[in-house]
Amino acid sequence: MVEAPLLTLAGVEKTWPNGTVALRGVDMVVRPGRVHGLLGANGAGKSTLIKILAGALPASGGTINWCGQAALWTTPRAARAAGIATLYQHIPLVPTLNAADNILLEQRGGLRRDAAARRRAAAVVALLGDTFGLDEIVGELPIGTRQMVAIAQALIGDPALVIMDEPTAALAGHERETVYQTIRQLAAAGRAVLFVSHFLDEILALTDEVTILRDGRAVLHAETATLDEAAIAAAIAGRSVTALTRSSAARTPSPPLLEVRDLCSPGRLATTSLSIGAGEIVGVAGTLGSGRSELLHAIFGADPAASGDVRLASRRVALFTDEAVAAGIALVPEDRVAQGFVPTMTIAENIALSQRRFLLDRTCEAEAARAAIARLAIRADGPDAMVSELSGGNAQKVVLAKWLTPATRVLLLDEPTAGIDIGARIDILRTVRRLADEGLAVLLVSSEFEELLAIADRILVLRDGAVIAEIADPADLDEAALIQLASGASARTGVAA
C-alpha cells in the first residue's frame, strides 16, 4: 500500500528580482518512511528549492501542500513548527557551547538546561547511537561528530520531514556510514528524508526514489531501484558540450612548467603530485567537498597547514602567497565578490591591485585598464567604471585581467564561470584557451564538467581530497561518464586510476 504524500510540490517557481529564473515549475512528491534523493548539477536549483521548503525563501509561483493542506509558512521557525527540519551544508552550531546546549538552541526559550529538556536531548542522542556526550564542547569534536550533533538538533523538534543538504560532503568514510545508519533509522521510524548529494553511489545505496533537477526543472522522477549510475548521470548532464568546440589538432606536450610534489594539508588535501606544461590546461573535476579549491589554495600558499614542494621552472616556490605571486603564480578565486575585486574601486584601480608598487602612475594605470578592456572584451564605459556596476561576466573578466601581467606564468582558476550567463561563459573559456596558447600554464576547477571536457588538455578527478584518476584525453569521455567517475564510479577506459 502506497503511503499518502507528506509533501507535494506542483509547478513551484522562483524568479529573483533581477529577473534570473532559479526554478521553472518543479513538481515533486515526498512520502513518509522513505528516503527521497534530490540531485542536480551546480546551479540546477537544489539549494533554492530547499530554502523554499525550509521557509527561508518565498516561492514566486506554484503550490506546496503539506499533510494534505496548503503550506503557509513564511519563516524558518514556521516551517520547523510545521514539522520540517533542515540541515544545511554548513553546520549551524555554536562551537563554544556543549552538545546539549546546541541541540536545544532552537527550542523556545533559547538555552534550556532543565532536567526535562536534557532528558529529551539524551533520548535523541540515544536514537543516534550515543555517538557523543551531552557535555562535550562542540568545537572540540571531529567534524563527523559535529554533523551528528546537528542531526540531533534537527530531531529534537520531532520533525516529520528531515531535509539533508550534502550532509556527507565533508566527512570521511567511517563518518559517512554513521550518517547513513541514522538516515535508515529515520525512515524506518516513519519519517521522510529529503537527501541531497552529489555522490551517486550513496544515492543508489540509500534512497528509495529520486528527483533530478536540471536548469530549474524536475527532469526525472523514478524509483531508485529502476536506475543505475549511468542513467542518473545522463539525466544530470542532459545536454551536449557547450558552444565551445574542442580543437582536433594534437597538442605537442611541453616540459613541465609547474611541478607539485607531495603537496598535502591535514583534513583538506591528501598527498598530491601533478605537473602542468606551458600552454597546457589541466582541468580539475570533483563534487562538493572533493578538495578542488583546497588544491588551488595550497599551491598558491594560501593554506598555512599545507606542506610539500611547489616548483616553477624548476625553482622552488615557498608556500606563501607573496612568494607565489612573485614567482608568477596567480589565483582567480571562486568568490569573486568577496575575494576577487574591490567593489568600491574602478576597473583601473582593481586591475592595478596586483602590481607590487605603492605609488602607481594614474596614466599608466588607465592605459593598462584600456588594454585589458580591449583584450578581454570587457563591456564597460571605460577604465573609470566601477566594477560593482558591471555584469557578473564582465566583473569576472576584470578579476582575470588583474593577473594578466608580464610576470604571470601560471593561472589557477577556481570556478571562473560560476554564476554568469552562457555567452559570458563561452567568452571567458575562449580567453582562457587563448592565454594557454600564448604560453600560460592553467589549472582550471569547474563544476561544469562539460566545460572541462571542451577546453582541458587533461583532467584530474578529485574525491575526498585525493586525485583518484587522470584523464589523459578528455575527448575519450563524455559528461555523464565524468560525472560517474567524480561521484564514485570505478575507473573506465581511457582513465588512469
Side-chain angles (χ1 to χ4, degrees):
M1 181 178 176
V2 178
E3 289 270 10
L6 180 67
L7 174 72
T8 303
L9 311 184
V12 172
E13 300 176 350
K14 180 61 182 179
T15 302
W16 298 105
N18 65 2
T20 301
V21 180
L23 298 176
R24 305 172 185 273
V26 173
D27 301 328
M28 186 171 67
V29 176
V30 178
R31 301 181 188 279
R34 309 202 88 199
V35 181
H36 194 120
L38 181 63
L39 298 92
N42 179 51
K46 303 186 302 297
S47 295
T48 300
L49 182 60
I50 287 171
K51 289 176 182 176
I52 289 173
L53 297 179
L57 284 176
S60 303
T63 60
I64 302 175
N65 283 311
W66 174 250
C67 299
Q69 297 183 344
L72 300 176
W73 59 79
T74 56
T75 66
R77 181 180 292 275
R80 288 195 298 271
I84 297 178
T86 304
L87 279 78
Y88 292 102
Q89 293 175 13
H90 303 292
I91 305 172
L93 300 175
V94 181
T96 55
L97 297 180
N98 66 25
D101 287 340
N102 269 281
I103 292 169
L104 298 164
L105 195 59
E106 294 187 357
Q107 300 301 295
R108 184 164 54 188
L111 293 178
R112 298 284 301 277
R113 295 187 175 87
D114 57 90
R118 187 178 175 90
R119 282 196 297 272
R120 286 194 295 119
V124 171
V125 174
L127 175 68
L128 301 179
D130 289 315
T131 53
F132 58 88
L134 290 177
D135 295 318
E136 293 188 73
I137 301 300
V138 165
E140 299 174 359
L141 298 175
I143 186 169
T145 307
R146 293 202 300 271
Q147 185 67 282
M148 300 307 294
V149 175
I151 293 174
Q153 184 188 75
L155 295 181
I156 196 69
D158 195 27
L161 170 63
V162 180
I163 301 173
M164 296 185 171
D165 188 6
E166 299 281 0
T168 63
L171 304 185
H174 68 282
E175 294 171 326
R176 288 177 182 169
E177 187 55 43
T178 302
V179 175
Y180 299 160
Q181 291 174 4
T182 300
I183 291 171
R184 295 185 183 104
Q185 290 173 354
L186 293 175
R191 304 178 199 267
V193 178
L194 185 60
F195 182 74
V196 181
S197 176
H198 281 98
F199 298 137
L200 303 191
D201 52 352
E202 66 182 20
I203 287 291
L204 289 170
L206 275 177
T207 65
D208 299 298
E209 56 190 304
V210 298
T211 294
I212 295 177
L213 301 185
R214 186 173 70 239
D215 298 327
R217 293 185 175 91
V219 296
L220 178 68
H221 302 283
E223 294 287 317
T224 308
T226 67
L227 301 172
D228 59 16
E229 286 180 342
I232 295 175
I236 292 172
R239 60 191 185 278
S240 59
V241 176
T242 65
L244 274 174
T245 302
R246 169 174 289 282
S247 172
S248 59
R251 300 187 184 277
T252 303
S254 58
L257 176 62
L258 177 69
E259 296 177 277
V260 175
R261 295 288 177 265
D262 300 326
L263 186 66
C264 66
S265 178
R268 297 184 181 92
L269 186 68
T271 302
T272 300
S273 298
L274 60 91
S275 64
I276 311 174
E280 186 180 27
I281 299 175
V282 174
V284 180
T287 58
L288 182 70
S290 62
R292 301 168 304 179
S293 297
E294 289 80 357
L295 173 61
L296 268 58
H297 291 173
I299 294 173
F300 191 61
D303 180 354
S307 62
D309 190 49
V310 174
R311 294 180 182 270
L312 186 59
S314 299
R315 297 186 64 177
R316 191 171 188 277
V317 180
L319 297 180
F320 298 100
T321 54
D322 286 351
E323 296 291 333
V325 172
I329 301 174
L331 171 65
V332 175
E334 179 179 10
D335 189 343
R336 60 177 173 268
V337 176
Q339 299 174 312
F341 63 79
V342 180
T344 56
M345 288 185 175
T346 66
I347 293 176
E349 290 168 337
N350 270 280
I351 290 175
L353 286 173
S354 64
Q355 305 300 308
R356 297 170 63 82
R357 289 175 289 170
F358 290 103
L359 297 176
L360 293 175
D361 186 310
R362 297 302 178 186
T363 301
C364 293
E365 189 177 282
E367 289 177 357
R370 277 190 287 269
I373 289 171
R375 184 182 186 187
L376 300 184
I378 299 172
R379 294 185 180 181
D381 292 335
D384 293 330
M386 303 298 292
V387 177
S388 58
E389 298 173 355
L390 303 180
S391 68
N394 286 296
Q396 185 69 302
K397 290 179 183 179
V398 172
V399 178
L400 185 58
K402 180 177 70 176
W403 291 112
L404 297 184
T405 69
T408 299
R409 305 177 69 183
V410 176
L411 273 179
L412 308 176
L413 303 178
D414 195 355
E415 300 282 9
T417 64
I420 59 180
D421 64 75
I422 183 64
R425 282 173 57 196
I426 294 171
D427 202 15
I428 286 176
L429 292 173
R430 284 176 175 157
T431 298
V432 172
R433 179 73 267 174
R434 186 178 72 248
L435 293 171
D437 291 341
E438 292 172 1
L440 291 184
V442 179
L443 189 60
L444 170 65
V445 167
S446 178
S447 295
E448 302 291 343
F449 289 177
E450 57 173 350
E451 295 180 354
L452 298 179
L453 292 166
I455 194 175
D457 300 306
R458 287 184 289 128
I459 297 176
L460 304 177
V461 182
L462 266 67
R463 184 169 182 180
D464 296 332
V467 176
I468 62 169
E470 178 178 338
I471 301 166
D473 186 356
D476 291 339
L477 214 63
D478 62 19
E479 187 182 358
L482 184 54
I483 290 172
Q484 283 183 258
L485 190 60
S487 301
S490 58
R492 287 163 171 76
T493 303
V495 179

